[in-house]
């Protein structure tokens, strides 16, 4: 998988999040590999079913604020695996996130999402920010 494919999938992840699109989110996560999701403040979620349940719960929350991201940096982790590290801005707080994609049927699929508070985030450059609302 080329890092640019993972960057595109990373953008699709945030679009699915902000559109509260369960079908799009399900399509992004691996169906064949074990997956892990660490939402800020939540216990670790292991396995597709627990992860998809979490997204349905988040999307059902009418008070869930939108998320923007910036400064996405793909890092090749070997054949068929790319980590995208980026910064999320949620309700005025900046978090650092890692989204790990594995190649599955020729497409990048998520196997890890982890997001947590970032005490000293880099400045957000206008050209690298993306409002995915």
């Amino acid at each position: 998988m080329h890092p640019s494919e993972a960057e595109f999938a990373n953008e699709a992840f945030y679009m699915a999040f902000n559109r509260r699109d369960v079908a799009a989110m399900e399509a992004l996560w691996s169906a064949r590999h074990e997956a892990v999701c660490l939402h800020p403040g939540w216990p670790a979620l292991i396995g597709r079913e627990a992860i998809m349940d979490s997204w349905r719960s988040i999307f059902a929350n009418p008070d869930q604020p939108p998320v923007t991201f910036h400064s996405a940096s793909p890092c090749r982790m070997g054949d068929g695996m790319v980590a995208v590290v980026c910064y999320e801005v949620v309700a005025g707080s900046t978090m650092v996130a890692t989204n790990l994609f594995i190649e599955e049927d020729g497409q990048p699929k998520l196997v890890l999402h982890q997001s947590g508070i970032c005490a000293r985030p880099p400045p957000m450059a206008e050209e690298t920010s993306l409002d995915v609302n």
Side-chain angles (χ1 to χ4, degrees), residues 3 7 10 69-76 82-87 97 99:
E7 278 188 283
N10 191 68
F69 77 97
H70 66 93
S71 305
S73 296
C75 305
R76 191 184 301 268
V82 176
V84 179
V85 177
C86 62
Y87 295 88
N99 295 312

Side-chain angles (χ1 to χ4, degrees), residues 42-92:
W42 289 46
L45 302 170
I46 300 172
R48 184 178 169 85
E49 185 176 338
I51 293 167
M52 291 303 107
D53 285 347
S54 77
W55 289 114
R56 282 188 280 279
S57 175
I58 289 167
F59 294 168
N61 178 0
D63 297 323
Q64 176 62 46
V67 177
T68 59
F69 77 97
H70 66 93
S71 305
S73 296
C75 305
R76 191 184 301 268
M77 308 296 286
D79 289 341
M81 191 176 292
V82 176
V84 179
V85 177
C86 62
Y87 295 88
E88 301 175 339
V89 180
V90 183

Side-chain angles (χ1 to χ4, degrees), residues 106-128:
Q107 298 292 317
K109 299 292 181 173
L110 273 164
V111 291
L112 171 75
H113 168 70
Q114 180 173 4
S115 180
I117 297 296
C118 183
R120 290 184 287 150
M124 181 169 52
E126 282 300 313
E127 66 274 5
T128 63

Side-chain angles (χ1 to χ4, degrees), residues 2-15 28 69 84 101 107-108:
H2 192 274
S4 64
E5 294 173 286
E7 278 188 283
F8 183 79
N10 191 68
E11 184 175 327
F13 169 76
Y14 289 101
M15 290 177 81
L28 286 164
F69 77 97
V84 179
F101 296 90
Q107 298 292 317

